[in-house]
């Protein structure tokens, strides 16, 4: 019997489980205190009316013989693939519906895409970043290089001279730093990838938070990306689908490596190992992209943006260095007094009863940094901000 020993090389436990268990232990030991949890980037607002209506209608269809649906079409229902193509078209990006593959979310696609590539590639992963890129490659025993995302480079690593890699992950707007690439910066990555015959795995899960002109919402806004990039996106953050589960991956029809086209390979992979997102969920996702759905979504995004602003103002007032929070739901703050990120995690729990996410959990370069999320309830966020401001101001004293 052979077992995958690479599991031993993983960081001991998944970051968010550790945050959750430490917060729970603190709460159990201090039953009189109200702990505000801002450690996991989950949304808190319910699904808006137009989306719930679409869900109800789809459930009703499942109750009748003539409208009941069983297995769905490969790659997703046409109505959703077309609606997603329309969403891109409104931003000036032309995609064929067949290049869009619907799934149960970005996380599984980001992990599963590795099936398309051989075992001996060199993979470049930003540090810090969403832990799934690193962990899935560690599990597979791949050779991983880290691209340092630091205050000096604006948390946006660029291709260094002589960089050689086969697969590069980019996450923009970034989890956890909140930094987002401009089109000009992405154009440099695209030129590099086309030159090197590399593939960019572009995670756009937070694209809906981008407001600044000049920042890219899709890598396909950049010329040349169709010959080197795959894009992952999700309804989780745009529309509160973290529990409902729906996402999609864009693989351009012409994207080819090693003499093989990646889009048909991805379809083959998905149809072999996955049977598709539920019909009712795909109907709900399509409702997100209607004018009524988008209007409702904008209200929710506005609510979260306001939270980000409240947190940003509190940090500024306490004299804390921070980034993000404008084109992203995350704020990335420097731990005060040279504290390490887990040290600050404990300090913040102790002094403000607020749970955040230690930057170190996203990679070595996150040491001394801390992530706050704007996805909480407005009241709780305001209370957390006030508590943090008071505690940090006293600390900076
Ligand atoms: N990509 C990034 C950068 C994320 O932060 C997350 C979730 O937090 C995901 C992907 C996963 O999204 P989904 O809920 O669609 O699996």
């Amino acid at each position: 019997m052979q077992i995958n020993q690479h599991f031993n090389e993983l960081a001991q436990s998944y970051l968010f489980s550790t945050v959750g268990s430490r917060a729970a232990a603190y709460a159990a030991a201090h039953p009189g205190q109200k702990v505000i949890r801002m450690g996991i980037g989950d949304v808190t607002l319910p699904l808006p009316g137009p989306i719930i209506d679409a869900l109800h209608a789809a459930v009703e269809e499942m109750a009748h013989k003539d409208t009941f649906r069983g297995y769905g079409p490969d790659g997703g229902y046409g109505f959703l693939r077309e609606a997603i193509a329309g969403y891109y078209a409104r931003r000036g990006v032309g995609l064929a519906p067949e290049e869009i593959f619907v799934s149960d979310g970005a996380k599984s696609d980001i992990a599963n895409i590795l099936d398309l590539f051989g075992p001996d590639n060199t993979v470049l992963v930003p540090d810090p970043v969403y832990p799934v890129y690193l962990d899935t490659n560690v599990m597979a025993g791949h050779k991983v290089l880290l691209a340092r995302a630091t205050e000096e480079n604006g948390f946006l690593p660029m291709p260094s001279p002589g960089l050689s890699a086969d697969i590069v992950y980019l996450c923009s707007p970034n989890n956890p730093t909140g930094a987002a690439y401009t089109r000009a910066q992405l154009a440099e990555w695209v030129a590099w990838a086309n030159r090197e015959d590399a593939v960019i795995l572009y995670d756009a899960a937070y694209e809906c938070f981008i407001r600044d002109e000049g920042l890219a919402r899709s890598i396909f806004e950049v010329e040349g990306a169709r010959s080197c990039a795959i894009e992952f996106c999700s309804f989780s953050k745009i529309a509160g689908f973290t529990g409902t589960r729906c996402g999609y991956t864009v693989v351009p029809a012409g994207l080819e490596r090693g003499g093989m086209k990646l889009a048909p390979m991805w379809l083959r992979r998905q149809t072999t190992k996955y049977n598709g997102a539920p019909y009712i969920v795909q109907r709900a996702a399509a409702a997100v992209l209607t004018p009524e759905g988008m209007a409702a979504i904008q209200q929710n995004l506005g609510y979260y943006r306001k939270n980000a602003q409240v947190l940003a103002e509190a940090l500024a007032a306490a004299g804390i260095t921070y980034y993000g929070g404008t084109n992203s739901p995350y704020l990335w703050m420097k731990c005060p007094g040279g504290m390490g990120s887990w040290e600050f995690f404990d300090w913040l729990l102790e002094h403000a009863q607020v749970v955040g996410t230690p930057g170190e959990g996203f990679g070595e370069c996150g040491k001394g940094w801390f992530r706050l999320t704007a996805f909480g309830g407005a009241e709780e966020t305001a209370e957390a901000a006030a508590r943090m401001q008071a505690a940090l101001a006293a600390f900076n004293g």
Side-chain angles (χ1 to χ4, degrees):
M1 152 65 84
Q2 272 198 335
I3 199 85
N4 186 349
Q5 295 290 343
H6 296 302
F7 276 67
N8 289 320
E9 296 152 27
L10 291 166
Q12 213 155 32
S13 130
Y14 191 62
L15 167 66
F16 300 109
S17 323
T18 313
V19 167
S21 58
R22 280 171 85 151
Y26 180 88
H30 303 84
Q33 296 184 354
K34 181 184 163 203
V35 174
I36 303 182
R37 287 186 167 75
M38 304 174 75
I40 299 176
D42 202 353
V43 296
T44 50
L45 290 174
L47 299 179
I51 294 152
I52 290 295
D53 290 346
L55 266 173
H56 280 305
V59 167
E60 193 53 34
E61 284 183 71
M62 297 301 267
H64 304 284
K65 198 166 189 318
D66 52 342
T67 48
F68 167 79
R69 312 285 177 126
Y71 292 121
D74 295 345
Y77 280 94
F79 62 78
L80 179 55
R81 299 173 96 181
E82 277 157 29
I84 296 167
Y87 179 60
Y88 275 82
R90 292 198 285 281
R91 291 182 268 140
V93 175
L95 295 177
E98 300 72 39
E99 297 177 306
I100 298 161
F101 301 87
V102 174
S103 72
D104 65 350
K107 189 193 225 179
S108 31
D109 285 3
I110 288 165
N112 295 334
I113 200 79
L114 292 179
D115 278 2
L116 271 50
F117 303 99
D120 297 324
N121 291 309
T122 299
V123 179
L124 186 72
V125 176
D127 172 7
V129 87
Y130 182 54
V132 173
Y133 316 152
L134 181 63
D135 286 357
T136 51
N137 279 284
V138 169
M139 282 179 189
H142 293 165
K143 183 176 171 208
V144 176
L145 305 176
L146 297 174
R148 291 169 60 82
T150 61
E151 200 172 9
E152 290 69 39
N153 63 17
F155 305 103
L156 295 167
M158 296 300 297
S160 52
L163 171 67
S164 173
D166 303 295
I167 295 171
V168 174
Y169 289 82
L170 297 179
C171 177
S172 178
N174 188 272
N175 177 10
T177 68
Y181 282 107
T182 63
R183 278 182 210 100
Q185 287 172 315
L186 284 184
E188 279 189 46
W189 272 114
V190 163
W192 171 86
N194 279 324
R195 215 168 41 238
E196 294 288 318
D197 218 25
V199 171
I200 296 173
L201 300 179
Y202 190 79
D203 185 346
Y206 297 94
E207 58 78 22
C208 57
F209 281 91
I210 288 183
R211 279 184 295 182
D212 291 357
E213 267 305 309
L215 297 181
R217 287 177 59 184
S218 162
I219 195 163
F220 299 117
E221 291 169 23
V222 172
E223 215 183 308
R226 290 181 59 87
S227 55
C228 66
I230 292 175
E231 180 159 298
F232 303 92
C233 209
S234 170
F235 289 93
S236 283
K237 308 300 159 101
I238 186 178
F241 273 49
T242 52
T244 308
R245 308 301 311 142
C246 196
Y248 53 93
T249 290
V250 179
V251 190
L255 178 56
E256 208 176 303
R257 287 294 179 272
M260 291 173 78
K261 284 199 173 353
L262 301 196
M265 283 175 73
W266 179 241
L267 186 64
R268 185 74 165 87
R269 188 266 167 221
Q270 290 296 78
T271 50
T272 304
K273 298 193 183 181
Y274 176 63
N275 255 336
Y279 171 70
I280 56 174
V281 170
Q282 294 195 49
R283 276 287 178 207
V288 171
L289 303 174
T290 60
E292 305 73 45
M294 289 312 286
I297 290 312
Q298 282 311 323
Q299 281 200 1
N300 289 5
L301 293 178
Y303 176 97
Y304 294 136
R305 285 190 180 115
K306 178 85 181 90
N307 284 345
Q309 195 187 329
V310 166
L311 288 167
E313 282 165 9
L315 294 179
I320 297 288
T321 301
Y322 73 93
Y323 297 89
T326 44
N327 294 290
S328 152
Y330 297 122
L331 288 94
W332 185 239
M333 61 170 282
K334 197 178 252 179
C335 300
M339 272 192 250
S341 15
W342 281 107
E343 193 185 348
F344 182 66
F345 175 90
D346 290 331
W347 184 91
L348 197 63
L349 249 182
E350 186 71 34
H351 292 84
Q353 292 76 53
V354 171
V355 180
T357 318
E360 193 176 331
F362 298 95
E364 279 284 304
C365 292
K367 275 188 171 160
W369 293 84
F370 201 73
R371 191 194 76 174
L372 296 172
T373 169
F375 282 129
E379 260 178 50
E380 281 204 317
T381 302
E383 188 176 338
R387 286 192 207 168
M388 280 194 294
Q389 185 178 332
L392 289 166
F395 179 85
N396 283 339

